Amino acid sequence: MTNLALRKDPYNIVITGVGGQGNVMASRVLATMLVRRGFRVTIGETFGMSQRGGSVMSHIRVSSAAVWSPQIPKGRADLLVALEPVEAIRVLADYGNPSVKSLVNMRPIYPVGVITGEADYPAPETIRKAVAALSETACFLDATAEAIRLGNPIWGNIIMIGAVARLGVLPVNRELFAAVIREGMPASRVEANLRAFAIGEAAVA
Amino acid sequence: MKELLSGNEAIARGAYECGVRFAAGYPGTPSTEIMEAFATYEGVYAEWAPNEKVAMEVGIGAALAGARVMVVMKHVGVNVAADPLFTVSYTGINGALVVVSADDPSLHSSQNEQDNRNYAKFMKIPMLEPSDSQEAKEFIKIAFEISERFDTPVFLRSTTRVSHSKSVVTLEAPKTMEDRTAIRCNAEKYVMVPMNARKRRVEVEKRMRLLEAFAENFPENRMEINDPEVGIITAGMSYHYAKDVFPDYSYVKLGMVHPLPVGLIREFASRVRKLYALEELDPFIEEQVRALGIEVTGKAIFPYTNEFNPGIVEQAIIGHDKILRTLPERQLPLRPPNLCPGCPHRGLFYVLGRLKVFISGDIGCYTLSFMKPLDALHSCICMGASIGMAHGMSKALGEKGRGKVVGVIGDSTFLHSGMTPLLNMAYNHSDALIVICDNLTTAMTGMQEHPATGFTLQGEKTMGVDLAKLVRALGIKSVRLVDPYDLKKTRTVLKEELAKPGPSVVISRRACVLFKREKLSPGKPLRVDPEKCTGCRLCLGLGCPPIAWKKLVGPSGDQKKKGEKQQGIAVIDLNICSGCGLCRQLCKSDAIVEQI
């Protein structure tokens, strides 16, 4: 496929969330789409014990020229996709800069300190303000609620990928997604994924 | 054909492409996916051994028969396998033997941060270190070539960043190798009694000299002369970090980290003005370069601990990173890892934590029980240590420790290295209680088979050892079985066994809630009836992800008025509740009910 221009080279994407939300799946799908477009893509992620219900983060670095290291330097993310709102702030504090675009699923997952009442979870308005203050543009959606309506909260990650496509910052679209998902998934799950993607697109429009 | 592969998948692919058809290992992050990926290739034999030492010995046996063998483990697994490895370095390997050691800088999923390059030097075994997936695939092939050419085991060292990162790899057609296996006896070479080992010891040094000469002209030890002002000697992922931020500096990029190409390093040092050794963890390269009488900067500016990233390299060399950030520090709730909703360990450790005993822990998901609110695990050193330590503590405490010392260990970990210490407990009249947390799989690394699951790595049906019978065979007379979803019964059995003199074993059995083969559905999601919840917080003591505390004092005055004492109520997120029912057993006011 032809190589389309990137807004920046390398273009640095962070996908963050909580272990179990489908972070790895989301990064794999987005990266595969970009590989199909002819880009050199590196994904950096860690999984294992520290990710059991803990904070997780995938770095995707996209370039038309070189292979970049799998870790985005601090302060140099271009796009943030957050599957969980507090994780959005956590990542922006480290990787944000005045030109980062943020896409945030607003459904919280409470950490253990909040469960036991020892820590407070910030109010939605506080989160929105913090994310907006740390981003050039910020877009908030309740992907989890949409995914539950669709039948399973796990599809929140694909809804977020649909939203990324609609943002227009990367050369990815529904056709490309469909091609990638058909290859990597049993046919029975393709339809739901396509619907999730469409919901994400609509949420940003 | 090009494909996006993780470093681990690339190692498996490379081994397959170069004709390797035999592999053994034990799961451990960040190495696990190598064996899982390799096992799926056509015509290969791959096995999970009960531990890394066994895997190593299986590998040595196969190599002695003439096979090309890959043995795979995480960094601490090499400690377990170290005994045979030190000596197979003397004997050589007949076929080919490559040991993959996946190190874990930053301890993402490990109990220590050991730098296994030291083993290469210590064992006198050459070591290659790839820096991305394409290299991982190429280097494993080169490792096999070196193994065959020099009759030596070879290490391939990866790190978490290389193993788990994905980049594009060019795939090639797999080679099929002729079968060179046969029974060949050569006692002088393979029987390491002193008289033979003394001779082989000399051969080891000869081999090291040959490998040193090989390293000088090894194409993957690469000199890149750009700006002569700054030269960086590096290897592995650190090379990419440095290239990200300093593309114009000069480099020696080492594909082989042991032995080092001394001549190449001397030449490089003479061609650049300022020389750095850039490496995560130990100053392994730096110390050797300095020993050559070459001035080099390393750990004086680069950290000893944790993995690097481009920013750390930049900061260390030029004193600051290029982007100045003025982001405010924010108070965010921390998010440590936690046991999953419905995890069978939660019930067991909730009960154990309230027995006022010392809980000697082990390696597994259940290690997370050390955290609040469960607060139910008091030590964790290495695989299998729980049992020996519980016994030692119980002996040292004597009467003071009676009924007060418990060792906890998972099923896979018990089979890895828990059997010998349990035998020791029976043999030496122990008084401690051991609990085997049997979730029917190796859960933490992602559901790998082991000798009690009834399946092999390649999905073949096999025997599954009966843990209760095994424990009895080791000499333990009192063996009980509990379901950790039943809090009351679990508590009763644990108390009874603690009260008994002599060693006891309780097997706490319930499949991992994420284990698909068991097709678990513990129950329907539960909810809290806000009318009945008294805000006693008992259920919060489980630290279960779906249960949260909702304060009643909020800006919205329309909430139900409760007595002044009550600060809030518990709420359950039905989307993540597994319906295991532990909270329901704890609730004294019957406020936890099924969803309508």
Side-chain angles (χ1 to χ4, degrees), chain A residues 43 45 47 49-50 52 61 68-71 75-76 84 87 90 92-94 109 111 115 120 134 148, chain B residues 33 108-109 164-166 241 244 308 314 323 325 327 333-335 337-338 365 443 537 540 547 551 575:
Chain A
I43 315 177
E45 51 204 348
F47 39 87
M49 182 190 215
S50 53
R52 278 256 183 275
R61 310 192 74 187
W68 290 82
S69 84
Q71 287 210 71
R76 278 177 246 181
E84 205 280 346
E87 296 313 311
R90 212 188 301 279
L92 283 170
D94 275 342
I109 294 179
I115 292 170
D120 287 323
L134 295 169
I148 291 166
Chain B
E33 302 77 24
H108 293 286
S109 200
H164 284 181
S165 294
K166 289 186 175 178
Y241 295 151
D244 271 13
F308 293 170
E314 193 171 46
I323 292 188
R325 284 164 298 125
L327 297 176
L334 296 172
R335 195 186 298 277
N338 190 4
C365 295
R537 292 172 177 258
L540 300 177
I547 312 176
K551 283 180 184 160
N575 292 306

Side-chain angles (χ1 to χ4, degrees), chain A residues 84-108:
Chain A
E84 205 280 346
V86 151
E87 296 313 311
I89 306 176
R90 212 188 301 279
V91 167
L92 283 170
D94 275 342
Y95 294 91
N97 63 72
S99 63
V100 68
K101 295 186 191 310
S102 299
L103 198 57
V104 183
N105 176 20
M106 284 301 285
R107 175 65 65 101

Side-chain angles (χ1 to χ4, degrees), chain A residues 87-153:
Chain A
E87 296 313 311
I89 306 176
R90 212 188 301 279
V91 167
L92 283 170
D94 275 342
Y95 294 91
N97 63 72
S99 63
V100 68
K101 295 186 191 310
S102 299
L103 198 57
V104 183
N105 176 20
M106 284 301 285
R107 175 65 65 101
I109 294 179
Y110 297 128
V112 74
V114 172
I115 292 170
T116 55
E118 283 164 22
D120 287 323
Y121 195 93
E125 261 328 290
T126 314
I127 292 172
R128 280 171 198 268
K129 274 187 198 154
V131 171
L134 295 169
S135 314
E136 185 190 76
T137 60
C139 174
F140 304 94
L141 50 157
D142 193 342
T144 307
E146 297 284 356
I148 291 166
R149 265 196 284 281
L150 195 57
N152 190 336

Side-chain angles (χ1 to χ4, degrees), chain B residues 83-98:
Chain B
D83 201 359
L85 254 175
F86 271 98
T87 304
V88 80
S89 168
Y90 281 31
T91 61
I93 40 73
N94 186 28
L97 179 65
V98 174

Side-chain angles (χ1 to χ4, degrees), chain B residues 197-400:
Chain B
R198 279 184 204 114
K199 289 182 199 148
R200 293 302 306 173
R201 173 76 189 85
V202 176
E203 293 302 314
V204 171
E205 291 308 323
K206 282 188 196 160
R207 186 180 73 208
M208 281 314 296
R209 301 297 90 74
L210 292 175
L211 284 161
E212 282 161 10
F214 172 83
E216 294 295 348
N217 299 308
F218 178 46
E220 295 299 338
N221 287 335
R222 192 169 77 220
M223 180 147 55
E224 299 171 10
I225 298 289
N226 302 305
D227 178 359
E229 203 56 44
V230 177
I232 299 175
I233 304 174
T234 188
M237 189 54 84
S238 297
Y239 170 73
H240 282 299
Y241 295 151
K243 288 290 276 191
D244 271 13
V245 285
F246 301 119
D248 300 327
Y249 286 170
S250 297
Y251 290 87
V252 161
K253 198 279 193 189
L254 296 170
M256 184 191 266
V257 291
H258 185 71
L260 291 181
V262 170
L264 183 82
I265 288 169
R266 280 193 199 281
E267 189 198 334
F268 184 64
S270 73
R271 291 174 68 175
V272 296
R273 264 183 282 282
K274 171 81 186 165
L275 185 66
Y276 294 98
L278 175 68
E279 53 195 327
E280 290 170 335
L281 308 182
D282 293 343
F284 183 79
I285 299 169
E286 179 190 350
E287 285 177 353
Q288 294 184 70
V289 171
R290 191 167 295 124
L292 297 172
I294 296 168
E295 198 180 313
V296 61
T297 303
K299 294 298 165 184
I301 59 164
F302 302 116
Y304 277 91
T305 56
N306 292 332
E307 64 177 356
F308 293 170
N309 60 44
I312 288 173
V313 176
E314 193 171 46
Q315 174 89 33
I317 292 184
I318 62 172
H320 59 84
D321 55 10
K322 286 174 190 158
I323 292 188
L324 293 173
R325 284 164 298 125
T326 51
L327 297 176
E329 284 288 317
R330 280 176 192 278
Q331 285 293 320
L332 291 175
L334 296 172
R335 195 186 298 277
N338 190 4
L339 299 174
C340 302
C343 174
H345 297 318
R346 182 172 279 108
L348 171 69
F349 283 86
Y350 181 84
V351 173
L352 277 171
R354 276 149 189 81
L355 290 178
K356 308 226 172 351
V357 291
F358 184 90
I359 302 163
S360 169
D362 221 295
I363 308 280
C365 295
Y366 50 90
T367 318
L368 294 172
S369 305
F370 87 93
M371 286 188 291
K372 281 184 178 162
L374 291 175
D375 215 352
L377 192 128
H378 306 120
S379 65
C380 168
I381 303 286
C382 68
M383 300 276 287
S386 58
I387 299 179
M389 284 171 63
H391 169 62
M393 182 172 284
S394 163
K395 281 282 173 194
L397 289 169
E399 270 307 309
K400 282 177 282 178

Side-chain angles (χ1 to χ4, degrees), chain B residues 522-588:
Chain B
K524 287 181 183 162
L526 301 175
R527 67 182 179 92
V528 177
D529 182 344
E531 299 293 329
K532 288 185 180 167
C533 177
T534 61
C536 74
R537 292 172 177 258
L538 254 183
C539 55
L540 300 177
L542 291 165
C544 187
I547 312 176
W549 181 246
K550 190 173 160 196
K551 283 180 184 160
L552 281 176
V553 281
S556 50
D558 56 354
Q559 278 173 359
K560 183 179 183 295
K561 277 183 187 160
K562 287 271 188 176
E564 280 213 314
K565 267 189 176 174
Q566 186 170 349
Q567 298 294 303
I569 56 166
V571 287
I572 295 176
D573 182 346
L574 85 144
N575 292 306
I576 50 176
C577 174
S578 75
C580 74
L582 291 182
C583 54
R584 202 175 189 179
Q585 293 171 48
L586 290 178
C587 185
K588 292 198 165 85

